[in-house]
Structure formats: structure tokens, C-alpha cells
Amino acid sequence: MNNDEIKNWHEIARKEQLIPKDWRWLWLILAGRGFGKTRTGAETVMEMINSGKYKHIAIIGRTIEEARDVMVEGMSGMLSTTIAQKMYNNEENKIEDPDILKFKFYRSRNVIVWENGARAYLLSGNNYQKLRGYQFDLVWLDEFAKYKFPEKLWEQVLFTLRIGDDPKCIITTTPKPLRILKRLTELDDVHITQGSTFDNKENLSERFLQIMQDYYKNTWIGKQELEGKLLLEKQNTVWKRENIVYKNIERESLSSVVIGVDPAVSSNEGSDETGIIVAGLGYDNKIYVLDDLSGKYSPTQWAKIVCRASHDYQAGKIIAETNNGGDFVEEVLRSVEENVPFKQTKALKGKISRAEPVSMLYEANRVYHTKEFSELEEQMCDMSYDEPNSKSPDRVDALVWAVNELKHIPNEPRISTLDF
């Protein structure tokens, strides 16, 4: 292959893999496996060094071995970038290219040295204390969510990123539920790129993509590892995100539908939300969460929403908790529709004791969500055994009423037209 046959990165990269114009200092790439995160990081770092502006670089992997084997020598690493390939090709053919800075990787010393004096040091993120004494104008961290002490490492990175006119940092990682990642996404001057495994399907095996679809589509693991979504999760919670699984179902495949309601007792600006969850029991004996209609409403507003949903989903029952409102809840509903199929329930146990049996059904793969209900799911995964006295979540309470009602309904066999 001659030098002219090696394409430039800008010719083959997708738009989201190129250096963003509004990159002030931190570029955070949160993407699924196979997206091309490492290749993006490697090409970006090589391009910035080759510009001659950046000369003090940190290449940080979870371990030194990962920094070397993945970030530098790997199939998507710095030695495989288009700039590196052109440089190597020029050396083989003794052709000088004035646009490419020559460099050499000193493997035993874990350092890359360029002809203009630029140096890139390979470092271990797990051994964050080793960063003391260094100072950089460019830092690249790969698979940041895998590090043992990500918060302590980030503190050290901030101390080292202190020279040059325009110091930069790039983080390429599959997201995991870490608070430090959440904090980074909330910075005013961060540029965030998100993407999925399937954005890079042209460069991935069709069999791999199909297997990933079959095994992980609409699961918590799939959302994190394939779609690159940052899903935060507390420890010691009643629900685990990995137990929230997505599966659609048609209305004719449901034997019963109910609506769980947890009404707010007031409707001013500081009021709680009214939880309104629609769920159904399938002929497969699984429970499906069909809709989350919760929100801040006046009594008349939520009553109208509930009655409308009762018709839309052909619900057989509306279950509402009446500890606070007493007969008021039923009166409001019947003021909108006189023959509404209302059933009242009372909270005789604490919120965690009520929720536990429902979370166990999720763990046993008895309950599915027909789509992502982000606010409901956030409440579910925020309910912690460590905070038993925190405010009761309205959406979760409505979910609990609905699921508890459905799990006690005997599932009649589905009648086929062939039986007539």
C-alpha cells in the first residue's frame, strides 16, 4: 500500500467522532460498546499532537497494560490511527511527509516521543497517586467507568491539567452508574457525545449485532452497554435497574387492565404529584406496565385523566389509596363519571414493605414495561433501604396498587375463535 491509499480520519469518521467546534476543555464521550470511542480518542489525540500545539500528554487507562495494549497498540489505538499509518508507511518507503510529525514508542518506558519534543506518558488510572508531579496540556482517559477510584483520579487529573494556552481533556467510556459521571455531565463547559453500538454497524459483525439485539434489547444492560445511556443507581435499593425489562404487548393479549392512582391531597405549586399508572395482566400470566400518566394536577384534572384512560385502555378497575382523602377520591372520580369502576385500598404497611413484593415480581421476570418510563423508573431505583423514612414516591405507590391488584386476579384461559 502506498501512502496515497491511506485515507485521512476526516474522510472515514462519522460526524460525531470529529473534534467538536464548541469543545472548551472537556469532551465526554458516553457510548455503547463498539461505537468507536477508543478510535475517536486515539485519532483526536494524534491529530492534536500533530498540530504542534500539544506537547505534554497523559494517556490514562485503568491499568498500564490497558493503556498500552488498548489505547496505544490496540486495533483502535494510537499506532493504528491514520496519522500513524502514514508515518510508518513513509518510513518503509523512505518518503518524507512534511505534514506528519515522526514519533517513536518506547515500550519499556511507557512513553511516546515525537520529533518536536512532545511526549505522551502511559499511566494507570487505578494508581492515581502516580499522577502527582506531572503537568499536562492534554489528557485522554479511556473506559473511565472501569477505574477503581474514579473520583480520586479525577481530582488528580484536574491538578495536572494546568499548562498551555488551551488545556484539553477527553474521556471515552461506556457509562456506568457513577456519581462522578453524573457530575461531569452537569458541568457548564462540557461537550457530551452520546451514541450506541449500532451507530458503527458498518464496521461490526452482523452476527455480533444480531446477538446483542436478541440478548440485550430493551434491558438495563442493553441501555448501558449498547445504547451508552448513563443510568444512575443507588446501592441497597428495593429495585435494581437490571430487573426492569422492556417488552411490548397488544391489548388483545391482555386479560385484565387496571389503573393505580395515588392522589395528591392538594393542588398548589408545592404539592406532590398524583401517581397514575396503567397496567395489564397478559394471558401469558405476566404483568405489563402500559402507561405512566402521573403529574401535578388539580383533583378535577387527574380525575378526568383517569376516567379517559379507563376508556382508552378498557380498564376493569381503578384502584386508589384513600388513607388521606377518604371518600373524597371516589367522589371526585364519580363527579366526572358516575359509573367509574372504582376500588379503594388502604396503606396498612410502610412504603418499602408495600413495594418489596412488587419488586420481587420484577426480579422473577413477572413484570415488564412496554416502553421506558424514565420518571417512574428513577423513583423505583431511588427507593432505598437506607432511607426508609424519605418521602413516599407517588408514581411508585400507584404502580404498587396496580400490580398488587393484578397479581391477585385469576387469569382465565384465552378464548380462541377456533373454539366456536
Side-chain angles (χ1 to χ4, degrees):
M1 178 188 295
N2 64 45
N3 195 53
D4 292 335
E5 293 176 318
I6 301 174
K7 291 185 176 181
N8 293 320
W9 172 238
H10 285 249
E11 296 179 68
I12 59 178
R14 303 188 305 277
K15 181 180 178 181
E16 64 270 21
Q17 292 180 292
L18 298 175
I19 296 175
K21 293 180 180 179
D22 61 345
W23 179 15
R24 294 176 62 183
W25 75 279
L26 176 59
W27 185 10
L28 180 59
I29 301 178
L30 300 171
R33 297 191 191 188
F35 168 87
K37 300 184 298 295
T38 302
R39 179 71 184 273
T40 302
E43 292 281 0
T44 298
V45 169
M46 289 293 284
E47 181 178 330
M48 295 176 73
I49 297 171
N50 201 64
S51 72
K53 185 176 179 180
Y54 294 88
K55 294 187 176 181
H56 307 276
I57 303 96
I59 307 299
I60 305 177
R62 185 177 67 92
T63 63
I64 286 285
E65 291 75 19
E66 289 188 16
R68 182 186 64 236
D69 298 344
V70 177
M71 300 172 75
V72 176
E73 295 183 329
M75 289 182 63
S76 300
M78 295 171 68
L79 300 188
S80 298
T81 57
T82 53
I83 287 177
Q85 291 302 308
K86 284 193 173 188
M87 191 276 282
Y88 285 136
N89 196 56
N90 285 338
E91 286 186 348
E92 292 171 4
N93 293 282
K94 307 301 179 184
I95 302 170
E96 292 297 324
D97 188 335
D99 295 327
I100 296 178
L101 289 173
K102 306 301 184 294
F103 66 89
K104 186 172 182 179
F105 177 34
Y106 294 90
R107 198 174 192 274
S108 62
R109 294 163 52 194
N110 292 312
V111 64
I112 308 173
V113 181
W114 278 260
E115 61 179 329
N116 69 342
R119 286 173 175 256
Y121 299 92
L122 278 62
L123 299 165
S124 166
N126 284 352
N127 197 359
Y128 62 91
Q129 293 284 10
K130 286 282 189 179
L131 270 70
R132 290 180 177 272
Y134 283 100
Q135 50 186 359
F136 303 113
D137 52 22
L138 178 61
V139 174
W140 173 29
L141 303 101
D142 191 44
E143 293 300 349
F144 179 72
K146 289 173 58 178
Y147 299 161
K148 189 179 292 185
F149 309 105
E151 298 207 22
K152 294 183 181 295
L153 169 65
W154 182 244
E155 290 176 0
Q156 292 302 319
V157 167
L158 291 178
F159 282 121
T160 64
L161 200 62
R162 61 178 185 254
I163 58 174
D165 297 330
D166 189 22
K168 300 280 194 187
C169 180
I170 179 172
I171 297 177
T172 52
T173 187
T174 299
K176 288 191 176 180
L178 303 178
R179 293 294 172 186
I180 181 62
L181 274 183
K182 176 67 171 174
R183 282 171 50 201
L184 294 180
T185 65
E186 294 171 346
L187 293 174
D188 292 336
D189 45 7
V190 62
H191 180 93
I192 301 174
T193 296
Q194 292 184 285
S196 80
T197 301
F198 304 99
D199 293 338
N200 194 31
K201 61 183 179 181
E202 292 183 3
N203 297 309
L204 299 174
S205 159
E206 288 187 13
R207 179 175 293 177
F208 165 78
L209 293 172
Q210 189 59 53
I211 290 173
M212 292 301 101
Q213 285 271 24
D214 293 344
Y215 274 78
Y216 300 116
K217 183 180 180 182
N218 293 330
T219 66
W220 177 80
I221 293 176
K223 286 184 173 295
Q224 174 180 283
E225 301 293 325
L226 302 181
E227 298 179 31
K229 292 191 175 183
L230 180 58
L231 305 172
L232 293 184
E233 184 169 16
K234 285 184 177 180
Q235 300 300 312
N236 200 26
T237 54
V238 179
W239 270 276
K240 301 298 181 186
R241 285 195 182 273
E242 62 193 39
N243 294 329
I244 300 175
V245 181
Y246 302 90
K247 184 179 180 181
N248 208 352
I249 190 170
E250 299 297 329
R251 179 60 184 87
E252 56 267 26
S253 298
L254 296 169
S255 61
S256 303
V257 174
V258 301
I259 301 174
V261 181
D262 185 67
V265 295
S266 61
S267 58
N268 54 52
E269 187 175 340
S271 298
D272 294 333
E273 291 185 323
T274 292
I276 305 171
I277 301 296
V278 186
L281 177 66
Y283 287 105
D284 58 2
N285 210 34
K286 308 290 186 182
I287 294 171
Y288 294 84
V289 179
L290 306 173
D291 212 345
D292 178 5
L293 302 171
S294 310
K296 283 193 176 185
Y297 309 118
S298 69
T300 302
Q301 286 175 327
W302 63 250
K304 287 181 178 180
I305 291 170
V306 170
C307 291
R308 188 183 310 121
S310 176
H311 291 286
D312 292 344
Y313 288 95
Q314 301 170 35
K317 288 182 184 176
I318 297 169
I319 303 97
E321 191 266 320
T322 58
N323 284 32
N324 293 320
D327 294 334
F328 172 72
V329 176
E330 183 174 3
E331 290 172 2
V332 173
L333 284 168
R334 297 203 185 282
S335 71
V336 174
E337 185 171 333
E338 185 177 354
N339 296 319
V340 65
F342 176 75
K343 176 182 177 180
Q344 66 173 310
T345 185
K346 292 185 180 294
L348 301 177
K349 301 179 180 178
K351 63 172 184 175
I352 289 181
S353 297
R354 298 196 305 267
E356 274 184 321
V358 177
S359 71
M360 291 173 64
L361 292 175
Y362 276 80
E363 191 172 349
N365 291 323
R366 285 280 315 279
V367 184
Y368 297 101
H369 289 193
T370 56
K371 61 181 179 180
E372 182 179 355
F373 302 111
S374 56
E375 291 172 292
L376 168 63
E377 290 162 16
E378 184 175 345
Q379 282 192 2
M380 293 165 65
C381 298
D382 200 52
M383 183 180 281
S384 173
Y385 290 104
D386 298 328
E387 302 170 2
N389 297 319
S390 60
K391 187 178 80 70
S392 187
D394 315 296
R395 296 168 193 260
V396 169
D397 278 347
L399 171 74
V400 168
W401 305 138
V403 173
N404 271 328
E405 180 66 24
L406 289 170
K407 76 177 184 180
H408 293 120
I409 295 178
N411 202 346
E412 299 177 3
R414 186 173 185 175
I415 300 175
S416 169
T417 54
L418 297 177
D419 296 334
F420 292 93

